[in-house]
Amino acid sequence: RGVTPGRLQLCFMADSVAAITGLDPAQAASYLEMAGGDVEMAVQLFFSMAEGEPAAVAAGGGGGGGGTAHAGTPAHAALFGSEAAPPPWIEQGFEFSAAPESRCGLLQGKNGPCGVLAAVNAELLAQKGCPPPSAAATEADLRAALAAILWRCASADAPAGAKESVAQEVVLARWEGAVGGPIVTESFAADGAASVAANLAPLMPALRQKGGVVLLCYACVLTRGVEAVRADVALDNGSGPLIAGPHALCGTELMTLLMAGRARGNVGAYGQDGAKVTPPQTRQAGGRRVAAGGGGWRRVA
């Protein structure tokens, strides 16, 4: 007996859910059924039900499995929950492709941190005027892209047109010792992406090597502020962490934190109630005023 078009469509939709969540097709079909045939809702349902459960994936699989990174700090909890940062995140830095046809592309080792790499690569390409993939990219290009992302996190609450008139606090992170061990931070006052880029220069070797992706995520969460990130997530009825599921994938909130400076989960034009989404209003008039100068590196994890 032939397969009906409706059944075939459900199979394709279940495959989509399986590809995103790492579930087998039968499990994906069950989530799809619970979600009334809505792929996006099935994925959200899976991640919400998986929250707080240990990420366990067979060796050589995705982003789950045991990790060696710190846990227990508010910033880490916002990113990874109660789990240590998984090996694919600890092993991922910002490294350009050596292939002539894709020289401005960032390489990914294993499944998991793809969303962070995509956001950074998109920012880099946009700043370079969207060149062909074969165009060469430099460390200075990467530094400018990372600086733009951090500046958005720092200035998201500043009034439009006044973002660079008030100093904003930016927090940078580095490994205290070995990659995957304790992290220390340093904060400074910035008046734009250019000043962030200047302060990033000494950290570029660490960002380009293993663990660089984790350092950027820490810096973005701490620059935005852990409580502000939690408030952002709650606005769209989310609960975190920003990186979750058996494959430790980037949530929508982490992607919007990198791309827009706020960890919002709803990227559509309409809310769950069908009403038109109103852009979030500034919650802190004048932005966050900070004193000039840094305070040295401070251990946070």
Side-chain angles (χ1 to χ4, degrees):
R1 189 189 298 182
V3 178
T4 65
R7 180 62 182 171
L8 187 60
Q9 182 180 11
L10 284 175
C11 289
F12 283 135
M13 293 166 68
D15 286 343
S16 297
V17 174
I20 296 171
T21 62
L23 293 167
D24 63 46
Q27 292 173 320
S30 296
Y31 276 92
L32 190 61
E33 182 178 355
M34 287 187 285
D38 187 304
V39 171
E40 183 177 357
M41 188 174 296
V43 172
Q44 291 177 352
L45 180 62
F46 167 78
F47 284 122
S48 66
M49 293 177 69
E51 182 187 357
E53 296 181 0
V57 178
T68 56
H70 39 275
T73 62
H76 184 91
L79 283 165
F80 297 101
S82 61
E83 298 298 313
W89 285 81
I90 293 296
E91 295 167 8
Q92 182 68 58
F94 294 103
E95 178 186 0
F96 290 113
S97 171
E101 66 274 13
S102 59
R103 290 187 299 169
C104 61
L106 292 170
L107 297 175
Q108 179 181 352
K110 295 181 180 179
N111 189 30
C114 48
V116 175
L117 294 172
V120 172
N121 222 157
E123 178 65 37
L124 184 151
L125 293 174
Q127 290 194 11
K128 289 179 66 66
C130 297
S134 59
T138 66
E139 181 174 293
D141 295 327
L142 176 62
R143 180 156 53 99
L146 299 178
I149 289 170
L150 283 168
W151 176 244
R152 281 197 292 267
C153 294
S155 61
D157 287 336
K163 291 183 181 295
E164 297 183 4
S165 63
V166 179
Q168 307 291 337
E169 183 182 22
V170 175
V171 182
L172 301 181
R174 66 170 175 82
W175 303 109
E176 185 177 43
V179 173
I183 281 178
V184 292
T185 66
E186 182 180 42
S187 61
F188 61 93
D191 58 4
S195 61
V196 179
N199 281 273
L200 271 176
L203 283 181
M204 289 307 297
L207 287 164
R208 297 196 66 175
Q209 296 172 5
K210 290 183 177 181
V213 163
V214 174
L215 295 181
L216 175 66
C217 290
Y218 257 94
C220 288
V221 167
L222 291 168
T223 295
R224 174 65 176 147
V226 174
E227 291 305 318
V229 167
R230 289 174 176 165
D232 290 340
V233 172
L235 284 173
D236 297 315
N237 300 317
S239 58
L242 302 180
I243 299 163
H247 293 283
L249 301 177
C250 302
T252 304
E253 292 86 355
L254 179 56
M255 296 292 292
T256 56
L257 178 64
L258 297 172
M259 295 187 291
R262 291 188 176 94
R264 297 296 301 270
N266 183 11
V267 295
Y270 295 89
Q272 295 180 357
D273 58 357
K276 182 76 173 179
V277 172
T278 301
Q281 301 299 309
T282 299
R283 292 193 294 271
Q284 297 178 356
R288 286 174 289 165
R289 298 178 181 272
V290 296
W297 289 96
R298 179 172 62 89
R299 181 172 176 171
V300 296

